[in-house]
Amino acid sequence: AAIICAVVAVTITLLWCLVPTYIVSGILLDTRVCAAISNSPERIETGADYSSCERYAKVDLSKYEIADRDEWEHVSFDARGGDVKGLRAWWFSPNKASGPTVIMVHGTNSCKNRYEVALPATMLADRGFNVLALDLRNQGESPDTNGYQTIGVYEHLDVLGAADWLREEKRVDWARIGLWGASQGTTAVLHALRAESKLGLGGVMLDSPPYGMLRAWEEGVREQTGGILPWSIILHFLQTRTGVDMVANDTPNVLPAIAAVPGRRPRHVKLLVVGGKEDKRVTHAQHVALADHARALGFDVDTWFSSTIAAHSWGGNHFGARPSDTTCREHITQMLVRPGVYAQRLTAHFARALDLDI
């Protein structure tokens, strides 16, 4: 009887450790449907993303919408290496086709249609930058593969495919290509910089970047579960389900590899890191840690960190304390709270990097 009880106890313990952690790993890797898929450059809304957060549910962004349908178009291209074909993107070309261009990369469970990309894309286009805003594999309108995200290990091939399309179809010089990424999309940008030595001279901007997706995930799991699930087992499932060594390919290890790429001089890569100080999804400490590490490696780093919870108004929008604020994650919201300042920082950074007179 004692042996049977011991076996039952061990079985229950194993089930408790393995089943919930396996489920959690699947949730972290899952690329769910983009809630804002109905958005376009002509209509940028926030309600689908903030249905439970009143402060951001109805932000009026009409000032930044593009009224003329002829100013942008749908395009498609393949990932570098051709493992994914028919990636979807928006192409804005207010400048000559081969002019200064910024590739824009969304975060996880997102797409180019979400305000996080659509809004800065129209801000850049309005100031004369060409913009290529893409949907990564498994997300938005791009093809599904296995439905998993891999912290940039495979997604960076989509970013390189975008750069190759610009080079081949639009004849854009490498030095005239800038990179912008939000949240987990920044991992794809960083992996692209590691893989392609010619990228980076056109400037890089990272909005709300994790200093390691593993750290962001671990902090999130701890917050949601009270720390009762062993992270080491979750990490094991993350790696076995994707076939990716996520530790070796996380940001703290990727940044030094970018700096060490043959022929690259980090001081020639102008990097702007921005983020909200109250970010609950990717903490402000992570934004700062990434910027500090990049600066220590010799990159030309600038930062803009600001509060996103202070009460103020702009246009018809008022940002004040409301009961639903506890559900607001304050992630990638600087552009909603201070769009004018965001537009100025965004365009000034790429104008400096791409040598564009705006």
Side-chain angles (χ1 to χ4, degrees):
I3 295 176
I4 293 175
C5 288
V7 170
V8 170
V10 170
T11 301
I12 292 174
T13 301
L14 287 174
L15 288 174
W16 170 245
C17 288
L18 299 179
V19 175
T21 52
Y22 185 82
I23 292 173
V24 168
S25 71
I27 293 172
L28 294 175
L29 294 172
D30 181 40
T31 52
R32 284 161 278 180
V33 175
C34 177
I37 196 69
S38 62
N39 276 358
S40 75
E42 300 165 21
R43 188 185 68 178
I44 306 173
E45 298 180 344
T46 57
D49 296 297
Y50 292 105
S51 58
S52 60
C53 171
E54 184 183 1
R55 183 147 49 100
Y56 296 130
K58 296 181 180 179
V59 182
D60 180 5
L61 300 172
S62 58
K63 175 182 177 181
Y64 299 96
E65 294 170 346
I66 292 180
D68 188 350
R69 178 63 180 80
D70 293 334
E71 293 185 19
W72 64 280
E73 62 179 307
H74 292 280
V75 299
S76 65
F77 47 83
D78 300 339
R80 179 177 284 188
D83 69 319
V84 179
K85 300 184 182 300
L87 295 165
R88 300 297 300 276
W90 290 335
W91 169 243
F92 304 77
S93 185
N95 205 320
K96 63 179 182 179
S98 61
T101 303
V102 179
I103 296 173
M104 309 199 74
V105 187
H106 61 79
T108 186
N109 301 323
S110 186
C111 60
K112 66 185 182 307
N113 307 61
R114 192 173 190 255
Y115 77 83
E116 72 184 58
V117 172
L119 181 56
T122 60
M123 289 174 172
L124 284 168
D126 181 64
R127 299 305 297 274
F129 294 89
N130 294 339
V131 176
L132 184 62
L134 73 147
D135 283 333
L136 296 173
R137 62 186 65 196
N138 299 311
Q139 300 186 68
E141 298 176 305
S142 285
D144 291 332
T145 54
N146 60 7
Y148 287 160
Q149 53 187 311
T150 60
I151 65 172
V153 173
Y154 292 120
E155 292 86 354
H156 85 280
L157 297 173
D158 307 343
V159 180
L160 295 179
D164 293 340
W165 182 84
L166 289 173
R167 294 278 298 138
E168 296 164 8
E169 297 294 326
K170 303 300 180 182
R171 299 293 185 262
V172 182
D173 187 78
W174 283 111
R176 306 289 269 174
I177 298 175
L179 295 172
W180 177 100
S183 190
Q184 191 168 340
T186 64
T187 64
V189 167
L190 293 175
H191 277 274
L193 287 168
R194 180 174 70 171
E196 179 52 78
S197 62
K198 300 182 186 69
L199 281 174
L201 295 178
V204 180
M205 179 171 171
L206 306 179
D207 189 328
S208 309
Y211 182 57
M213 275 309 303
L214 297 181
R215 175 175 168 180
W217 280 342
E218 184 176 3
E219 289 177 354
V221 169
R222 187 183 305 116
E223 176 191 355
Q224 295 296 319
T225 67
I228 62 174
L229 295 180
W231 173 251
S232 60
I233 298 178
I234 295 174
L235 176 59
H236 169 76
F237 284 134
L238 290 172
Q239 298 191 121
T240 56
R241 294 176 78 161
T242 60
V244 169
D245 184 342
M246 291 195 169
V247 175
N249 285 286
D250 211 4
T251 301
N253 293 316
V254 173
L255 282 174
I258 296 171
V261 169
R264 172 169 287 136
R265 297 181 179 179
R267 69 178 183 276
H268 292 166
V269 179
K270 296 176 175 61
L271 172 63
L272 174 61
V273 181
V274 306
K277 291 183 177 180
E278 294 83 18
D279 195 330
K280 298 181 181 69
R281 183 160 292 161
V282 177
T283 62
H284 175 55
Q286 293 201 48
H287 311 157
V288 174
L290 187 151
D292 287 348
H293 191 178
R295 189 178 289 112
L297 290 167
F299 292 96
D300 182 355
V301 180
D302 191 12
T303 60
W304 174 45
F305 303 130
S306 63
S307 172
T308 59
I309 64 173
H312 73 285
S313 298
W314 64 266
N317 304 280
H318 176 70
F319 295 89
R322 306 186 188 186
S324 64
D325 282 0
T326 55
T327 67
C328 305
R329 304 297 289 173
E330 302 301 333
H331 186 53
I332 324 178
T333 53
Q334 281 177 301
M335 65 178 70
L336 296 180
V337 175
R338 303 281 184 187
V341 178
Y342 192 97
Q344 189 277 328
R345 295 270 186 169
L346 169 72
T347 55
H349 175 69
F350 283 111
R352 173 172 169 253
L354 292 165
D355 194 25
L356 181 64
D357 184 9
I358 60 171

